[in-house]
Amino acid sequence: SGKKIFFVPDRCLGQNFAKSLNLKSSVIGDGSNLHEADIICYDGFCSVHQLFSVEDIEFYRNKYSDILIAVHPECDVKVCDKADFVGSTSQLIAYIKDLPIEQKVAVGTEYNMVNRLRQKNTYILSSTKPECPTMNETTLEDVYATLKQIQTNQESPYENEIVVDEMVAKWAKVALQRMFEI
């Protein structure tokens, strides 16, 4: 149809998405030809998923010949190409849950999520601790305070409530619905 998709906020997710559909992608500012791309990716990224490398995969494959590698699609395209499975958080959870407990798996996503998957034969695909600083800003005390405010019918806005403009919410929902349709 000649239309292009401008993919935000994560370049790796956009590149991996394009690759899965056999489309051409380009990242703004990387010197590639934007006119030839079907999907133009904004040069944003997840700091956690940038920590995983092909060298990490090679390390685990050398250490355990039968290990599987499962990564999130916000990892670099080269990492996803070398993985046995690439999927969203919920897809990673389902994939690993369905593996026999004897099957070793190294996972390329946020540290705390990997630790909750299963205790045996699950490894973090990184030599560093891939923790998301923003996700870890929410504390148990924050959750408790918010639930207490809801329980006591405290008037909004709640202490931790984020209020979004009605038009922003409307168009964000449209964008999410279109993404899920694809």
Side-chain angles (χ1 to χ4, degrees):
S1 68
K3 290 187 177 182
K4 295 184 181 294
I5 296 172
F6 181 45
F7 198 100
V8 294
D10 190 282
R11 70 174 179 250
C12 295
L13 186 58
Q15 290 173 300
N16 284 310
F17 175 67
K19 192 169 189 169
S20 74
L21 297 174
N22 292 318
L23 297 174
K24 291 181 183 176
S25 68
S26 189
V27 178
I28 294 174
D30 75 352
S32 58
N33 188 340
L34 299 178
H35 298 290
E36 293 178 6
D38 302 301
I39 297 179
I40 299 170
C41 304
Y42 178 76
D43 193 17
F45 59 90
C46 170
S47 60
V48 169
H49 293 104
Q50 292 303 293
L51 295 174
F52 307 110
S53 68
V54 171
E55 290 77 22
D56 293 328
I57 293 174
E58 291 168 354
F59 169 82
Y60 276 104
R61 292 215 193 273
N62 288 331
K63 188 169 181 169
Y64 305 109
S65 61
D66 64 336
I67 196 162
L68 295 174
I69 307 296
V71 300
H72 192 280
E74 288 178 4
C75 292
D76 187 271
V77 175
K78 293 174 187 160
V79 170
C80 291
D81 286 347
K82 297 277 185 185
D84 298 295
F85 180 82
V86 179
S88 67
T89 300
S90 61
Q91 291 169 330
L92 285 169
I93 292 167
Y95 174 77
I96 293 163
K97 182 181 174 191
D98 288 343
L99 292 175
I101 196 67
E102 305 80 38
Q103 176 62 60
K104 291 177 177 58
V105 61
V107 187
T109 197
E110 209 273 340
Y111 171 81
N112 291 303
M113 206 283 280
V114 176
N115 274 352
R116 290 191 303 266
L117 289 171
R118 64 178 192 178
Q119 298 303 309
K120 189 175 180 189
N121 290 325
T122 305
Y123 304 90
I124 306 286
L125 184 67
S126 180
S127 58
T128 60
K129 190 176 182 182
E131 280 189 296
C132 178
T134 8
M135 272 201 283
N136 290 312
E137 286 179 3
T138 303
T139 66
L140 191 55
E141 290 80 19
D142 294 330
V143 174
Y144 176 75
T146 302
L147 291 173
K148 283 301 274 185
Q149 290 172 329
I150 292 169
Q151 181 183 36
T152 59
N153 293 321
Q154 178 179 332
E155 290 295 314
S156 191
Y158 298 116
E159 181 180 326
N160 295 311
E161 182 178 17
I162 297 171
V163 179
V164 178
D165 178 77
E166 192 175 311
M167 289 305 291
V168 171
K170 174 189 172 190
W171 290 110
K173 184 175 181 182
V174 168
L176 281 171
Q177 286 172 327
R178 288 179 181 167
M179 179 183 71
F180 287 130
E181 287 170 9
I182 292 173

